[in-house]
């Protein structure tokens, strides 16, 4: 049965005046955009995955070299890929830690064992100063010697090797701290014996994002590579005649070049070195250290260089 032109035009006019027509068209357009976007996203991921597979099997591109980084959101980058100043703590629990000295919390003192709260506060403040000036202060990280902080220690309680190990320094000609700053987390506790001796125990971790001083390649245009070094320090001090007497001491550094000269600096491993260190650990069946296991007690002594499961 044929449709009269007048009837057809009338039906079109009725559809155009239908109040629900615009909403239906909007939903239809949105559904089509979502389908197109999903197809494009799948294409990018498929292309990236194919690129990884192809370059891996042909040996043309190591897994730590980004493939198409500019088209993939940095949050979704594989673990092997470099870090950048845009996300220097990508894939790291340290992203949620407190920055710098603010992460070194001092417990609220209470008078005990013949010591006043003021007496205890003075010692706790000295311990915090020692930690800050040796592990957080900008001058120290840039290579300076924190002589004033180390002077808080009784020289009879710490040999020279330990005193040097307590300091985190980077060679300014090699690397500098990214502007995002150090991330800090840990605990400080104290105990007063019946004889009135105050002992302070600290267990703090510091994570440092570092950029090459010169010569480093850009991961994406305008974004240099960032490496992370993690340092953990566990020690106990007592107070004697206004000085801190070091007792038990242990330290650990991760993602540092363990084969580097012992020149007083920490030398970060960037993506290539980090990946190669992990491969070497697998080949030699060396266990990777979980830096974020807060219950882990470090082996006694300074300078333990480990390969981490992540920084």
């Amino acid at each position: 049965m044929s449709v009269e032109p007048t009837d057809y035009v009338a039906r079109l006019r009725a559809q155009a005046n239908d109040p629900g027509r615009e909403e239906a068209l909007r939903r239809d357009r949105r559904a089509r955009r979502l389908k197109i976007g999903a197809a494009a996203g799948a294409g990018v991921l498929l292309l990236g995955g194919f690129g990884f597979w192809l370059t891996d099997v042909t040996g043309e591109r190591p897994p730590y070299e980004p493939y198409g980084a500019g088209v993939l959101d940095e949050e979704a980058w594989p673990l092997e890929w470099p870090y950048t100043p845009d996300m220097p703590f990508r894939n790291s629990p340290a992203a949620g830690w407190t920055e710098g000295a603010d992460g070194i919390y001092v417990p609220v003192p209470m008078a005990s064992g013949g010591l006043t709260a003021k007496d205890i506060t003075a010692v706790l403040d000295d311990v915090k100063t020692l930690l800050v000036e040796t592990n957080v202060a900008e001058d120290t990280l840039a290579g300076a010697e924190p002589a004033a902080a180390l002077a808080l220690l009784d020289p009879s309680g710490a040999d020279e090797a330990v005193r040097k190990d307590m300091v985190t320094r980077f060679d300014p000609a090699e690397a500098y701290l990214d502007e995002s700053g150090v991330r800090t987390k840990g605990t400080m506790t104290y105990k007063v014996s019946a004889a009135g001796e105050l002992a302070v125990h600290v267990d703090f971790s510091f994570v440092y994002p570092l950029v090459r001083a010169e010569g480093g390649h850009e991961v994406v245009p305008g974004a240099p590579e960032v490496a992370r070094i993690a340092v953990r320090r566990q020690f106990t001090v007592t107070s004697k005649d206004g000085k801190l007497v070091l007792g038990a001491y242990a330290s650990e550094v991760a993602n540092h070049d363990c084969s580097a000269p012992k020149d007083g600096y920490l030398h970060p491993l960037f993506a290539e070195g980090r990946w190669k260190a992990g491969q070497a650990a697998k080949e030699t069946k060396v266990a990777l250290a979980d830096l974020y296991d807060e219950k882990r007690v470090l082996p006694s002594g300074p300078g333990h260089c480990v390969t981490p499961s992540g920084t």
Side-chain angles (χ1 to χ4, degrees):
M1 180 178 179
S2 62
V3 179
E4 292 294 327
T6 54
D7 293 337
Y8 183 73
V9 171
R11 189 161 68 242
L12 287 179
R13 285 175 177 169
Q15 290 175 351
N17 294 327
D18 184 354
R21 182 171 180 269
E22 281 300 319
E23 177 62 19
L25 289 173
R26 186 188 67 79
R27 288 198 300 266
D28 182 66
R29 287 194 296 269
R30 183 172 183 274
R32 279 183 288 171
R33 283 198 302 269
L34 289 174
K35 288 180 180 178
I36 293 171
V44 169
L45 291 175
L46 179 61
L47 177 62
F50 177 74
F52 274 121
W53 173 81
L54 179 62
T55 55
D56 186 58
V57 298
T58 59
E60 295 175 1
R61 184 186 297 273
Y64 52 81
E65 289 188 6
Y67 177 88
V71 299
L72 188 63
D73 190 282
E74 190 166 344
E75 284 187 313
W77 286 9
L79 291 172
E80 295 86 357
W81 283 16
Y83 311 118
T84 77
D86 291 333
M87 296 188 69
F89 293 99
R90 188 182 88 241
N91 300 324
S92 173
W97 291 7
T98 307
E99 183 178 348
D102 291 340
I104 302 177
Y105 301 105
V106 176
V108 177
M110 296 181 62
S112 178
L115 298 177
T116 67
K118 185 177 180 180
D119 294 332
I120 297 172
T121 296
V123 177
L124 296 179
D125 286 346
D126 280 351
V127 175
K128 178 169 181 175
T129 297
L130 177 65
L131 285 168
V132 170
E133 294 301 317
T134 54
N135 295 280
V136 176
E138 291 183 6
D139 289 348
T140 303
L141 299 182
E145 190 73 27
L150 292 175
L152 294 170
L153 289 170
D154 183 334
S156 66
D159 61 33
E160 189 62 23
V162 170
R163 288 164 67 88
K164 287 182 177 180
D165 185 74
M166 296 180 80
V167 182
T168 301
R169 300 164 68 226
F170 302 102
D171 184 348
E174 178 186 15
Y176 61 88
L177 187 70
D178 180 71
E179 63 181 12
S180 56
V182 187
R183 291 296 182 270
T184 309
K185 186 178 182 182
T187 58
M188 181 188 302
T189 58
Y190 74 90
K191 185 180 292 185
V192 181
S193 70
E197 182 181 63
L198 172 64
V200 183
H201 178 72
V202 299
D203 182 356
F204 277 92
S205 295
F206 307 90
V207 180
Y208 305 89
L210 301 155
V211 180
R212 281 192 178 97
E214 59 181 32
H217 72 283
E218 294 184 338
V219 180
V220 293
E225 183 177 352
V226 169
R228 293 196 299 257
I229 273 187
V231 174
R232 187 171 183 179
R233 305 204 185 280
Q234 296 175 340
F235 61 84
T236 301
V237 293
T238 55
S239 179
K240 179 182 178 182
D241 300 328
K243 293 286 189 179
L244 300 176
V245 181
L246 187 64
Y249 177 81
S251 73
E252 181 178 83
V253 59
N255 206 43
H256 156 69
D257 184 358
C258 301
S259 64
K262 297 186 182 300
D263 54 6
Y265 297 118
L266 297 183
H267 301 278
L269 293 176
F270 287 81
E272 180 178 356
R274 175 166 55 94
W275 182 79
K276 289 181 177 179
Q279 292 299 109
K282 290 179 182 178
E283 291 173 3
T284 56
K285 298 183 179 180
V286 173
L288 301 181
D290 181 0
L291 305 181
Y292 299 101
D293 179 1
E294 297 180 3
K295 296 181 180 180
R296 190 164 60 95
V297 177
L298 305 184
S300 179
H304 296 289
C305 187
V306 299
T307 302
S309 56
T311 57

